[in-house]
């Protein structure tokens, strides 16, 4: 029963979650908005990290936000808060956990593409610079590099650990 439900969900996401015009998986069916949570698809083994649709989605997310993506100076926004009506007022910074998700998605895709692995390493090293002197990370990073939101943020640290572990293994060829 559970396997059938799993397969049905997978088939639906693959059919309705992919936006041919955007050339990316999207935040919700029938829309073209990106969402950083899409980076979890290869991390949770929902889709292969080198699936052409996933690679295209990673590329769309790492495109600068000013050009329709979610990236800003190598960091990643959760989603386009101007296009997504989440009920919250004001702007937000990039989300550090999402930036570590991108590092890990690039790392996994980098097993068959050395340029993506090199980019993962560069982005990881860049992210380390946003930690406090005690190597603690906030929830978000503001446009001037300032720590925003919850501090320290446990989820960000889980993303850091997972990205570091998988990047280290990939760089060691394991």
């Amino acid at each position: 029963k559970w396997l059938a439900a799993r397969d049905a969900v997978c088939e639906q996401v693959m059919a309705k979650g992919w936006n041919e015009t955007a050339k990316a998986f999207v935040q919700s069916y029938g829309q073209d908005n990106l969402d950083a949570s899409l980076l979890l698809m290869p991390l949770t083994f929902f889709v292969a990290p080198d699936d052409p649709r996933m690679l295209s989605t990673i590329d769309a997310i790492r495109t600068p936000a000013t050009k329709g993506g979610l990236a800003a100076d190598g960091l990643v926004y959760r989603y386009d808060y101007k296009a997504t009506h989440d009920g919250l007022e004001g702007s937000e910074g990039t989300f550090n956990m999402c930036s570590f998700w991108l590092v890990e998605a690039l790392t996994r895709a980098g097993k068959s593409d050395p340029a993506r692995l090199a980019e993962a390493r560069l982005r990881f090293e860049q992210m380390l610079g946003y930690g406090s002197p005690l190597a603690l990370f906030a929830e978000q990073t503001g446009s001037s590099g300032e720590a925003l939101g919850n501090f320290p943020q446990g989820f960000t640290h889980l993303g850091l650990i997972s990205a570091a572990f998988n990047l280290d293994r990939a760089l060691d060829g394991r």
Side-chain angles (χ1 to χ4, degrees):
K1 175 181 174 180
W2 289 111
L3 294 175
R6 177 202 64 191
D7 293 346
V9 168
C10 181
E11 288 175 22
Q12 185 180 73
V13 169
M14 293 308 211
K16 295 182 179 182
W18 173 257
N19 182 301
E20 188 61 36
T21 304
K23 298 288 187 215
F25 288 105
V26 291
Q27 187 178 54
S28 57
Y29 299 160
Q31 301 296 319
D32 61 1
N33 298 336
L34 295 170
D35 192 294
S37 66
L38 298 164
L39 295 167
L40 291 171
M41 292 173 76
L43 280 55
T44 59
F45 306 104
F46 188 86
V47 67
D50 58 355
D51 180 294
R53 293 168 297 179
M54 193 64 231
L55 294 174
S56 185
T57 301
I58 291 170
D59 291 342
I61 289 171
R62 63 194 256 264
T63 298
T66 57
K67 296 181 179 179
L70 296 179
D73 298 322
L75 306 178
V76 179
Y77 289 102
R78 282 190 305 179
Y79 48 78
D80 180 353
Y81 65 88
K82 295 174 186 166
T84 302
H85 306 288
D86 60 9
L88 300 174
E89 293 188 26
S91 62
E92 58 184 34
T94 56
F95 270 69
N96 293 327
M97 180 171 58
C98 299
S99 299
F100 284 123
W101 288 346
L102 178 58
V103 167
E104 191 165 349
L106 286 166
T107 297
R108 291 176 187 229
K111 290 184 180 182
S112 59
D113 183 349
R116 289 182 190 272
L117 184 58
E119 182 181 345
R121 181 178 186 167
L122 178 66
R123 285 180 183 256
F124 182 79
E125 290 173 357
Q126 176 191 14
M127 277 303 300
L128 294 180
Y130 290 102
S132 75
L134 296 175
L136 297 174
F137 289 84
E139 181 179 24
Q140 302 175 46
T141 298
S143 60
S144 300
E146 72 276 19
L148 300 174
N150 297 315
F151 181 86
Q153 174 52 262
F155 288 129
T156 298
H157 292 91
L158 289 174
L160 162 67
I161 292 165
S162 186
F165 177 81
N166 284 289
L167 181 60
D168 182 60
R169 287 180 58 135
L171 291 171
D172 282 348
R174 289 184 268 152

